[in-house]
Every structure is written in structure tokens, then in C-alpha cells.
Amino acid sequence: MRTPGSSDPGRGHVRSDRPVQSGRSAPDRLRTSGLVDQHCHGYAGVDFATAPVPAVRDAVRELTLNGVTRVVASLPTMPRGETLAAVRRLAPLVREDLLAGLHLEGPFLATSRCGAHRTEDLQDPADAEAQRWLGETLQAGRVGGDQTIVAMTYAPELPGAEHVEAALAAHGVLPSPGHTDATAAQLGHALDRLAQWTVQTDRTEARGNRGQMGRMGSDDPKDSDRTPAVTHLFNAMRGFHHREPGPVPQLLRAAAAGRLRVELIADGHHVDRGVVADLLELLPAAVCVVSDASAATGAPAGTYTLGGARIEAGNAAGLEIGGTASDGAPLLTGTAILASGSVQLDGALRNLLHWGVPLPVALASVSTTPARTLPVHRRNPGWVEWLTDPETGQIAPGRPTVGAS
């Protein structure tokens, strides 16, 4: 039987009517807001895109017990019908508050930067049939008047990308640039389009009219702080060169100006730990640390699925990534391509603290900053209480206490 203030693992999170500030609640204990993962494909053998609902419930329950109290289920690029079916299967779980939302990663991605996503499933945003599919999928995400899809990753340089952006705006879904081979100029044009639509959205909301472009957020005016987030900055995008800067400098400038947030995967494999720490120091209000976890994360060595792709946990082949041993990072089967994050979000928080990121900055990057992807009514994370090492001040191994406030 639950006691007052305890969590309900079956619901996947706990409710709170106000933000919970971090602070020492007892010797060797640290109470914080629950963690918010805005990019999570699965966990411990469960692939959200393909697993039956009972398995999804079990995985979310496990994440909750680890302190990750708000989870956005990310769907990789799959055949159109399979993605539509996954949205229809998972959208009711958002409506019942088990999941915090759905994130579509694709299918409008750059072929040269698609990573672990299957090239045969990528779509052309200029194709009329693909546009009709997008409209049908976004409509399927609307349950009881509530849009359950919160974000979609797309390559903004692709011809027809403006159609994707317009459709997302009309349905209150955040456009998330990523898996992109954009040049600096192409990315700049895309950011100009998004800024123009955001301005028009604000104006139509002020008139109380949906307008031609529609809304970038929900009907709740408190959702005005919802800001697009770049999908896993640095990974699966054109790299920086001093004569061909690519998209990264433009994205960082936009983040510094408050126009974007940026995701970082803090598992020690996807991005150098020093780069993660530096960006959190330079842009503390813009960085969303995400897990990008999959069925292979937190699972025994073996083969798992990421949508239609096969991925490996445990790196039994001893493959290397960029000359560095992958050390257990999930990989696309038979390749050295990183397929997902190697730690869940509570592990990422531990990494940040171990790398010297100040506690308030680390906590914001895994809670309040990613929560801005969500409508206000789906943000409440409850609280978690961690055991801490009295000598180092680090979060100790083991599960936290999870509760409501």
C-alpha cells in the first residue's frame, strides 16, 4: 500500500504543484526535482517504438525508480505505417500521464548524417505523400484535444523542410534541427524561418486566433517558454572547420540568444566530457542533457532493436569509435556507429558531477531546462532524494527515494 508522499511506479512519475528546489534535507541526503529525459528510446531491453504497452509500462516504472520521473518516448525513423502505429499505441500513455510526450526522430533526416537510422526508411519532405503522412501522424498524436507529440527531429536544409516546419507549428510540435548536413548558410536560413514563425505564432496567440501558421505551443499562455531544442548537438551533424564552420556555431549563437536549446549526451562516448562541462558553463540555461537511451541501455550484452535497426549492447566485438574503445556503448550491429546512449539520465547526472559541473547547473540540465519541451501541465516532476557520499559529496550508488510534494 502506498503511503502519503510516496510514488506510484505504475504511473511512471509523481505529481508536484510547484517546482522543487534542490537542497540538503538531511545529513548525507540530497533532495531535488525529479529528472526529465526529453530523448529516450527505451531502457533495459524495451524498445518504446516496437514494444507492447505492458513492457513500456515496466520500463517507465524502472526509470521512475531511478529518479527519472518524466520521460519523453523517442521514436526512431521507421516505415511510415510503423511510426503511425507506434504513435497510436503510445499517445494514450501520454494522455494518462505515464509518458510526458512523444518525440519523432525522423524520417526527414540527411542521408549522410542518419547515424543508426535506416536509410531505406528516410523520407523526402518535398514529397506530397510524405507530407500527407506527416499530417496524419500529427493528427494521430492529438488525443482528447491534447497534442502528445512534443518535438520532431528533421534536417532543415532538405528541400521541402519548410513544409515540415509549417505542419509542426500548426500542431504545436517543436521543430528540432538535427541529423543534418547543413552548411552555415543553410542553417542560418532555417533559423530565420523558425524565428519568423515564432513571431507570427506569438502575434496570432495575442489575437486569440490560430492564424495560418498555427501555434508553436499549446493553448496555455504559460507554455510560451517552450523553445526548440537541437537534437544531440555535435552528433550526427556536419562538424566544425575553421573555413567551413557548418551548423554548430550558428546553433550555439542561437542558444546564447535564447532562441534554441541544445541537447548533449553526457555518457562519455558521444561528446568529450570537457566539451560538455564547457558548454554547461557557457550556456547553463540552454543545455538539455539527455540519455538518448535505448533497449540496449542498462541491458545485458546482446542484440536489441531500435525501431527496425539491430543494435548491440556490450560491444563484444571490441570496436573503436574515433580511435577510442567504445567501452560498452551500444552500437549499430556490425559497425562502429554509436546507436544510443550508454547510461540513463541518472547516470548522466552522476557523470556531470564527477566531471566537476556545479550541482545547480547539473540539476537544471536534467530537469528544468529539458522540461521546457513539455506543455506546462505535463512538467511536474515530483521530487527525488539521493544518498550522497559524505566525503566526496557525490551521489552514492543505488536508487533514490521518489516522492510527491
Side-chain angles (χ1 to χ4, degrees):
M1 178 180 296
R2 294 176 60 207
T3 57
S6 67
S7 65
D8 180 355
R11 294 182 62 214
H13 81 294
V14 290
R15 302 296 296 183
S16 169
D17 293 331
R18 59 187 181 279
V20 180
Q21 301 298 321
S22 63
R24 299 287 171 181
S25 55
D28 305 332
R29 290 182 180 272
L30 175 71
R31 180 174 289 195
T32 72
S33 290
L35 309 189
V36 179
D37 196 348
Q38 72 172 32
H39 190 155
C40 180
H41 292 278
Y43 180 62
V46 178
D47 175 35
F48 291 152
T50 57
V53 167
V56 174
R57 291 185 187 279
D58 289 343
V60 174
R61 181 181 298 112
E62 287 297 306
L63 293 172
T64 299
L65 293 174
N66 289 332
V68 187
T69 59
R70 298 270 64 195
V71 177
V72 173
S74 297
L75 305 180
T77 298
M78 300 186 290
R80 294 175 187 169
E82 293 180 21
T83 299
L84 183 58
V87 169
R88 288 172 172 160
R89 185 176 68 255
L90 297 176
L93 300 185
V94 180
R95 183 66 175 169
E96 74 176 58
D97 230 12
L98 181 82
L99 294 169
L102 306 179
H103 160 226
L104 305 181
E105 192 169 5
F108 306 114
L109 310 179
T111 302
S112 61
R113 304 290 176 179
C114 64
H117 299 256
R118 300 195 307 179
T119 56
E120 59 265 36
D121 295 329
L122 299 181
Q123 301 292 325
D124 177 1
D127 177 70
E129 189 62 34
Q131 292 175 19
R132 282 192 290 272
W133 167 86
L134 176 60
E136 184 179 6
T137 301
L138 293 173
Q139 190 59 44
R142 191 172 292 278
V143 180
D146 189 21
Q147 179 56 263
T148 63
I149 301 171
V150 295
M152 183 180 198
T153 300
Y154 76 112
E157 77 278 11
L158 296 180
E162 66 276 8
H163 299 300
V164 175
E165 294 159 352
L168 298 180
H171 284 270
V173 177
L174 295 179
S176 298
H179 285 275
T180 173
D181 198 40
T183 63
Q186 289 171 325
L187 198 282
H189 291 319
L191 292 178
D192 288 342
R193 292 196 305 268
L194 295 183
Q196 178 182 357
W197 291 353
T198 300
V199 169
Q200 175 147 355
T201 297
D202 292 342
R203 289 172 180 167
T204 58
E205 286 185 348
R207 294 196 304 266
N209 188 325
R210 289 186 65 89
Q212 182 179 2
M213 289 295 185
R215 299 174 187 269
M216 196 71 91
S218 75
D219 291 340
D220 190 333
K222 295 190 293 295
D223 289 342
S224 61
D225 67 339
R226 293 185 70 209
T227 310
V230 178
T231 297
H232 43 55
L233 184 70
F234 302 118
N235 300 115
M237 65 177 56
R238 182 189 290 253
F240 172 79
H241 187 277
H242 60 283
R243 286 191 293 271
E244 296 180 7
V248 171
Q250 290 262 26
L251 295 172
L252 292 176
R253 281 196 292 272
R259 296 169 59 192
L260 288 176
R261 294 168 298 138
V262 295
E263 290 183 357
L264 288 176
I265 305 172
D267 64 353
H269 302 295
H270 281 76
V271 183
D272 178 81
R273 63 188 62 184
V275 173
V276 173
D278 286 346
L279 279 182
L280 280 164
E281 181 178 357
L282 294 170
L283 299 171
V287 174
C288 308
V289 170
V290 299
S291 71
D292 195 18
S294 70
T297 308
T303 302
Y304 299 89
T305 59
L306 178 66
R310 306 290 286 178
I311 62 178
E312 303 289 333
N315 187 24
L319 297 173
E320 294 190 347
I321 304 165
T324 303
S326 65
D327 193 25
L331 303 176
L332 187 64
T333 298
T335 75
I337 296 174
L338 285 166
S340 74
S342 64
V343 298
Q344 242 313 318
L345 198 61
D346 58 304
L349 174 59
R350 289 181 169 91
N351 282 345
L352 295 177
L353 298 177
H354 181 69
W355 299 342
V357 177
L359 178 62
V361 175
L363 287 172
S365 74
V366 294
S367 58
T368 54
T369 305
R372 287 165 53 201
T373 292
L374 307 174
V376 166
H377 69 279
R378 294 208 297 268
R379 293 183 188 181
N380 294 333
W383 57 262
V384 295
E385 191 170 74
W386 312 86
L387 290 176
T388 58
D389 186 312
E391 295 184 1
T392 66
Q394 298 290 314
I395 293 175
R399 285 176 163 170
T401 301
V402 181
S405 58

